[in-house]
Amino acid sequence: MNPDPLHHSATRRHFFSRCGVGLGSIALTKLLLDDCQGSVFSSDPLAPGRGHHAARAKNVIFLFMAGGPSQLELFEDKPCLREFHGKLPPESLVKGKRFAFLPKDAKLLGGQRAFGTYGEVRMTLGDLLPHHRKIVDEVCWLRGMKTDVFNHGPAKLFMNTGFQVPGRPAMGSWLTYGIGSESRDLPGFVVLQSGPRGPRGGNALWSAGFLPSSFQGVPFRGSGAPILNLSNPGGIDADRQRDFVDLVGTLNRERLDLTGDPEIATRISAYEMAYRMQSSAPELMDLSGESQATLDLYGAKPGGNSYANNCLLARRLVERGVRFVQLYHTNWDHHGGPTENLDKHLPEICREIDQASAALVLDLKQRGLLEDTIVIWGGEFGRTPMGEIREGGASGRDHHIDAFTMWVAGGGFQAGKIHGASDDFGYEVIDGAVHVHDLHATILHQLGLDHERLTFRFQGRDFRLTDVHGRVVREVLV
């Protein structure tokens, strides 16, 4: 949180070994001790800490639709697109623009889905998300989202880390670095995956970057043991395991006191966490204690690996104090052609996520958890108003960074609010633009963190999640 790296790595012995021991040095050491919040002189880097101001939320669940959902089939009814279907877009829209795959003569593609308006907010929804009709008045609809990067891997990195190149900390890492985690028996940042493959970008999406590795995301498997090799090997009982962890912890603490290396604190924390997770993780993954009504609400099936199960696990994780839960579901990359098109494959993936996404919001609300938990739904970008026709003639759309839709629920975001709008073709935001950096700044703000003050000094520069950009979008907050 403080840009001075001593606040996050120094020990008394390490500090005095690097400076003269005068009255000024002693006074400075005292200031460092007083100013330090959380994990500096502790072997638990994830100990809960204070933010910069009073927090409105405690936890975040990010439902990441990897590949880029088409807002024009799901959330944005554009009659002009249907009227001008098959025609070239106005030159003023596309002049100077770059796309991942579209040729210069790409034509407008009118949407073919049926739309309706729902709830008191009168939100438009396509027919592919019927369960979302139940939550239209519970979420804040961000219809003016913008990003900077139009290729999948870099765009996912940008949405998750604020930068398009690997090596930066993920949002979950920044949060746990800033305020720790309230869970003592589970990691502070957990990643759950579903779909046919992992997201492009891989583990760089939940990396701690240049932060100490204590703050990186921990991927859990959706079924069986959440983490491989967590249980004791044969012949090792609980007492022997405890003795081993205590001995290694003692040796590591001596080394930490000597060197001040934050990665040793990470190692101590990891051993202790793994020991506690031998009991906490199996209990977390066991859905047999959930009522049949709850399982039916999500469409979850115990023992399986699915998006529905992961949504239910996300609720169970925040109940246990986990600070940041990231779900990835693939594949939303509907360019057209025989395997990734809007006609067949978009409806299939919508059926996989619609019920459970809505159920998570409803379940959190009925348990009194939604007011403290921010739920985010969206992908790395949207899709173009121009169509992309690939092999076989099935329709699709290219990546679009200038206007797309996400939604956010709970944690002090206004329920039943539509913020932002795009033009008649869905090409540019014309009102209420929210850039990715703005979204990050707003999420941090709701958890009590000032995005301009949450920094880490690395290679001579103070880095932050929002880089040198971002504003808190107060118009969408309660």
Side-chain angles (χ1 to χ4, degrees):
M1 192 179 305
N2 192 296
D4 189 340
L6 283 172
H7 285 230
H8 291 272
S9 63
T11 65
R12 290 179 182 87
R13 186 178 302 171
H14 189 226
F15 178 79
F16 282 117
S17 73
R18 292 193 171 193
C19 67
V21 187
L23 290 176
S25 301
I26 295 172
L28 180 56
T29 304
K30 177 63 167 62
L31 289 173
L32 286 173
L33 285 165
D34 290 343
D35 192 53
C36 189
Q37 298 179 19
S39 61
V40 183
F41 299 98
S42 165
S43 62
D44 184 6
L46 293 174
R50 300 188 304 272
H52 301 115
H53 54 259
R56 183 64 178 80
K58 296 179 180 178
N59 317 98
V60 177
I61 300 172
F62 195 161
L63 309 176
F64 197 96
M65 306 295 113
S70 174
Q71 75 282 4
L72 298 169
E73 271 64 44
L74 303 181
F75 307 116
E76 298 272 355
D77 186 24
K78 298 294 183 182
C80 272
L81 269 187
R82 290 192 292 275
E83 179 181 352
F84 291 93
H85 173 78
K87 295 181 172 60
L88 291 173
E91 185 179 356
S92 59
L93 287 183
V94 297
K95 186 176 181 180
K97 298 290 186 179
R98 297 175 61 205
F99 300 96
F101 296 102
L102 283 182
K104 292 183 178 180
D105 59 349
K107 297 178 174 59
L108 294 169
L109 176 66
Q112 302 301 311
R113 308 307 312 185
F115 276 81
T117 55
Y118 301 95
E120 294 182 8
V121 71
R122 307 305 291 163
M123 175 65 187
T124 58
L125 288 177
D127 58 358
L128 295 178
L129 297 176
H131 290 277
H132 272 61
R133 300 169 192 172
K134 304 172 188 175
I135 61 169
V136 288
D137 291 326
E138 305 295 341
V139 310
C140 180
W141 301 92
L142 304 178
R143 299 211 295 190
M145 286 299 305
K146 296 175 72 70
T147 185
D148 293 349
V149 190
F150 60 69
N151 283 325
H152 289 291
K156 288 183 177 68
L157 285 165
F158 194 76
M159 182 63 76
N160 284 277
T161 73
F163 198 66
Q164 62 267 36
V165 176
R168 298 287 182 92
M171 179 161 51
S173 300
W174 279 112
L175 279 172
T176 51
Y177 163 70
I179 53 176
S181 175
E182 295 182 355
S183 176
R184 303 274 46 85
D185 299 326
L186 293 164
F189 177 12
V190 172
V191 179
L192 301 169
Q193 301 178 64
S194 55
R197 57 173 173 76
R200 292 186 179 99
N203 58 14
L205 301 177
W206 51 86
S207 166
F210 43 69
L211 294 178
S213 54
S214 301
F215 306 111
Q216 69 186 8
V218 178
F220 276 21
R221 301 196 309 161
S223 60
I227 298 177
L228 294 175
N229 304 315
L230 187 63
S231 58
N232 288 342
I236 302 296
D237 59 21
D239 290 339
R240 291 186 66 187
Q241 175 77 340
R242 182 69 263 178
D243 289 343
F244 171 79
V245 172
D246 288 343
L247 175 60
V248 173
T250 298
L251 295 173
N252 279 328
R253 286 183 181 89
E254 290 181 0
R255 186 65 180 168
L256 174 64
D257 192 36
L258 179 65
T259 67
D261 183 353
E263 289 305 308
I264 298 177
T266 294
R267 191 181 309 153
I268 296 169
S269 178
Y271 271 113
E272 291 290 345
M273 178 66 72
Y275 180 79
R276 295 192 297 270
M277 283 180 61
Q278 288 182 323
S279 59
S280 64
E283 184 273 334
L284 167 75
M285 304 298 291
D286 183 6
L287 302 183
S288 62
E290 298 287 344
S291 69
Q292 190 59 49
T294 298
L295 295 174
D296 292 342
L297 177 67
Y298 284 86
K301 296 180 180 179
N305 182 15
S306 67
Y307 178 82
N309 281 21
N310 286 349
C311 283
L312 181 50
L313 286 172
R315 190 218 78 203
R316 292 169 65 85
L317 284 162
V318 298
E319 282 181 318
R320 289 155 176 79
V322 173
R323 185 72 70 192
F324 195 95
V325 184
Q326 181 95 48
L327 275 66
Y328 289 97
H329 189 68
T330 56
N331 178 29
W332 291 85
D333 192 22
H334 299 112
H335 284 280
T339 60
E340 296 177 336
N341 62 66
L342 297 173
D343 309 312
K344 178 178 184 290
H345 303 101
L346 178 61
E348 290 176 352
I349 197 169
C350 285
R351 285 192 293 270
E352 293 170 3
I353 64 89
D354 178 35
Q355 178 179 347
S357 299
L360 177 60
V361 173
L362 297 172
D363 196 19
L364 289 170
K365 182 180 180 181
Q366 72 181 3
R367 294 171 187 268
L369 296 170
L370 189 59
E371 62 185 36
D372 293 327
T373 303
I374 298 172
V375 183
I376 312 166
W377 188 102
E380 63 265 39
F381 40 56
R383 314 304 293 195
T384 56
M386 295 80 78
E388 189 176 357
I389 309 300
R390 294 192 176 184
E391 179 186 352
S395 61
R397 300 184 188 274
D398 201 1
H399 314 158
H400 194 54
I401 65 174
D402 293 313
F404 60 103
T405 298
M406 297 177 69
W407 59 254
V408 187
F413 281 81
Q414 290 187 43
K417 179 179 180 63
I418 298 173
H419 180 76
S422 60
D423 60 36
D424 289 341
F425 294 101
Y427 195 92
E428 292 274 7
V429 174
I430 58 174
D431 180 61
V434 176
H435 189 273
V436 169
H437 291 311
D438 303 330
L439 178 64
H440 289 166
T442 309
I443 298 297
L444 293 180
H445 175 82
Q446 292 304 90
L447 280 101
L449 294 166
D450 183 336
H451 73 104
E452 294 183 339
R453 295 169 61 193
L454 181 67
T455 61
F456 188 89
R457 182 167 286 274
F458 177 66
Q459 294 183 341
R461 178 192 162 189
D462 294 338
F463 285 86
R464 68 188 209 214
L465 174 62
T466 53
D467 198 36
V468 296
H469 310 283
R471 70 176 184 93
V472 176
V473 188
R474 300 184 184 276
E475 308 94 281
V476 303
L477 302 178
V478 174

